[in-house]
Amino acid sequence: MNSAQKLLLQNKAWAQERVRYDKDYFLRHSTVQTPEFLWIGCSDSRVPANEVTGTEPGEIFVHRNVANLVVHTDLNLLSVLQYAVDVLKVKHVIVCGHYGCGGVRASMTNKSYGLINKWLTNIRDTYRMHRTELDAIGDMDKRADRLTELSVCEQIMNLAKTAIIQEAWKRRQGPVLLGWVYHIENGHLDELCKMDHTTDLDPIYRYRFDPE
Ligand code: CO
């Protein structure tokens, strides 16, 4: 049996186990999903959204990419965001970074990794904005950890810059934007930053939705 076949076998066991304890487990989720959360996390295999938050299928709408970035030209992320905010009407959008992130570490080197260089430039832009603070941290692991935190909060700001979020804030005073970080070594989550409809966003980013 190869490793992919093992996954199919484990899936059978998992599905049987769920139904054994709760016979309506799949029935309940088969018709509708009403998640309160959109999770924007890293693709890293060690940070699965449901497992680390102790949530079940149906509770979190998930988007993951390398280093949990919110990029304004990323049609995939913007589609997920618009659907989650306007249709599912999620109450919270979480951007979750993690310590020991390979994407963040790669962005701190000058090595060329091919296509992903372009993606990592977004983290390098955050580094440049905080160069004085980051350059002062001698330990490279600690510096990467701090860049991880700064990048998460920059992604929260990137969310707030979108018309999708600003329109929802005006219409329904939600969602709340939460910047979190995950500790790979002990499984804990911490809050780093937060923005909501009362946040005083820099005027240059503010849209006016009223008719002219
Ligand atoms: Co990562």
Side-chain angles (χ1 to χ4, degrees), residues 42-44 46-47 65-68 98 100-104:
C42 185
S43 299
D44 193 302
R46 299 164 296 177
V47 197
N65 62 41
V66 171
N68 42 272
H98 66 99
C101 183
V104 171

mmCIF file of all heavy atoms in Angstrom, residues 42-44 46-47 65-68 98 100-104, ligand 1:
data_model
loop_
_atom_site.group_PDB
_atom_site.id
_atom_site.type_symbol
_atom_site.label_atom_id
_atom_site.label_comp_id
_atom_site.label_asym_id
_atom_site.label_seq_id
_atom_site.Cartn_x
_atom_site.Cartn_y
_atom_site.Cartn_z
ATOM 1 N N CYS A 42 -1.144 30.061 6.807
ATOM 2 C CA CYS A 42 -0.022 29.609 5.988
ATOM 3 C C CYS A 42 -0.303 28.199 5.465
ATOM 4 O O CYS A 42 -0.990 27.410 6.114
ATOM 5 C CB CYS A 42 1.268 29.613 6.807
ATOM 6 S SG CYS A 42 2.738 29.193 5.832
ATOM 7 N N SER A 43 0.250 27.891 4.289
ATOM 8 C CA SER A 43 0.091 26.545 3.710
ATOM 9 C C SER A 43 0.853 25.489 4.506
ATOM 10 O O SER A 43 0.645 24.291 4.294
ATOM 11 C CB SER A 43 0.614 26.525 2.268
ATOM 12 O OG SER A 43 -0.105 27.424 1.480
ATOM 13 N N ASP A 44 1.711 25.916 5.417
ATOM 14 C CA ASP A 44 2.516 24.997 6.225
ATOM 15 C C ASP A 44 1.658 23.865 6.798
ATOM 16 O O ASP A 44 0.621 24.117 7.429
ATOM 17 C CB ASP A 44 3.175 25.801 7.367
ATOM 18 C CG ASP A 44 4.265 25.015 8.065
ATOM 19 O OD1 ASP A 44 3.963 23.914 8.581
ATOM 20 O OD2 ASP A 44 5.415 25.490 8.114
ATOM 21 N N ARG A 46 1.948 22.090 9.254
ATOM 22 C CA ARG A 46 1.864 21.982 10.726
ATOM 23 C C ARG A 46 0.842 22.928 11.341
ATOM 24 O O ARG A 46 0.674 22.956 12.551
ATOM 25 C CB ARG A 46 3.253 22.264 11.336
ATOM 26 C CG ARG A 46 4.317 21.286 10.877
ATOM 27 C CD ARG A 46 5.702 21.809 11.183
ATOM 28 N NE ARG A 46 5.999 23.046 10.442
ATOM 29 C CZ ARG A 46 7.126 23.735 10.579
ATOM 30 N NH1 ARG A 46 8.043 23.338 11.436
ATOM 31 N NH2 ARG A 46 7.331 24.832 9.871
ATOM 32 N N VAL A 47 0.152 23.725 10.495
ATOM 33 C CA VAL A 47 -0.813 24.683 11.042
ATOM 34 C C VAL A 47 -2.206 24.493 10.421
ATOM 35 O O VAL A 47 -2.697 25.350 9.683
ATOM 36 C CB VAL A 47 -0.336 26.147 10.838
ATOM 37 C CG1 VAL A 47 -1.109 27.083 11.764
ATOM 38 C CG2 VAL A 47 1.155 26.291 11.082
ATOM 39 N N ASN A 65 -2.201 30.201 2.014
ATOM 40 C CA ASN A 65 -1.163 30.392 1.003
ATOM 41 C C ASN A 65 0.189 30.497 1.720
ATOM 42 O O ASN A 65 0.226 30.519 2.951
ATOM 43 C CB ASN A 65 -1.458 31.621 0.126
ATOM 44 C CG ASN A 65 -1.494 32.931 0.909
ATOM 45 O OD1 ASN A 65 -0.683 33.165 1.797
ATOM 46 N ND2 ASN A 65 -2.455 33.799 0.581
ATOM 47 N N VAL A 66 1.261 30.542 0.946
ATOM 48 C CA VAL A 66 2.591 30.601 1.566
ATOM 49 C C VAL A 66 2.731 31.902 2.372
ATOM 50 O O VAL A 66 2.557 32.999 1.835
ATOM 51 C CB VAL A 66 3.700 30.500 0.493
ATOM 52 C CG1 VAL A 66 5.073 30.780 1.106
ATOM 53 C CG2 VAL A 66 3.681 29.125 -0.156
ATOM 54 N N ALA A 67 2.961 31.758 3.669
ATOM 55 C CA ALA A 67 3.198 32.876 4.599
ATOM 56 C C ALA A 67 1.965 33.760 4.831
ATOM 57 O O ALA A 67 2.100 34.928 5.177
ATOM 58 C CB ALA A 67 4.401 33.709 4.163
ATOM 59 N N ASN A 68 0.769 33.183 4.632
ATOM 60 C CA ASN A 68 -0.497 33.870 4.963
ATOM 61 C C ASN A 68 -0.524 35.351 4.565
ATOM 62 O O ASN A 68 -0.643 36.237 5.418
ATOM 63 C CB ASN A 68 -0.822 33.697 6.473
ATOM 64 C CG ASN A 68 0.370 33.851 7.389
ATOM 65 O OD1 ASN A 68 1.079 32.875 7.672
ATOM 66 N ND2 ASN A 68 0.640 35.075 7.810
ATOM 67 N N HIS A 98 2.723 32.015 11.752
ATOM 68 C CA HIS A 98 3.302 31.066 12.712
ATOM 69 C C HIS A 98 4.802 31.263 12.797
ATOM 70 O O HIS A 98 5.456 31.611 11.808
ATOM 71 C CB HIS A 98 2.962 29.622 12.326
ATOM 72 C CG HIS A 98 3.599 29.174 11.043
ATOM 73 N ND1 HIS A 98 4.747 28.427 10.994
ATOM 74 C CD2 HIS A 98 3.261 29.410 9.755
ATOM 75 C CE1 HIS A 98 5.072 28.199 9.735
ATOM 76 N NE2 HIS A 98 4.196 28.792 8.956
ATOM 77 N N GLY A 100 8.629 30.194 12.980
ATOM 78 C CA GLY A 100 9.327 29.167 12.212
ATOM 79 C C GLY A 100 8.799 29.047 10.792
ATOM 80 O O GLY A 100 8.928 27.997 10.166
ATOM 81 N N CYS A 101 8.208 30.134 10.263
ATOM 82 C CA CYS A 101 7.619 30.094 8.911
ATOM 83 C C CYS A 101 8.716 30.101 7.844
ATOM 84 O O CYS A 101 9.546 31.025 7.796
ATOM 85 C CB CYS A 101 6.685 31.290 8.717
ATOM 86 S SG CYS A 101 5.855 31.291 7.113
ATOM 87 N N GLY A 102 8.732 29.084 7.000
ATOM 88 C CA GLY A 102 9.741 28.969 5.949
ATOM 89 C C GLY A 102 9.679 30.116 4.960
ATOM 90 O O GLY A 102 10.709 30.582 4.467
ATOM 91 N N GLY A 103 8.480 30.597 4.671
ATOM 92 C CA GLY A 103 8.312 31.714 3.739
ATOM 93 C C GLY A 103 8.945 32.983 4.279
ATOM 94 O O GLY A 103 9.630 33.717 3.552
ATOM 95 N N VAL A 104 8.710 33.242 5.564
ATOM 96 C CA VAL A 104 9.282 34.440 6.193
ATOM 97 C C VAL A 104 10.809 34.339 6.204
ATOM 98 O O VAL A 104 11.518 35.285 5.864
ATOM 99 C CB VAL A 104 8.728 34.620 7.628
ATOM 100 C CG1 VAL A 104 9.473 35.728 8.360
ATOM 101 C CG2 VAL A 104 7.227 34.914 7.589
HETATM 102 CO CO CO B 1 4.600 29.397 7.072
#
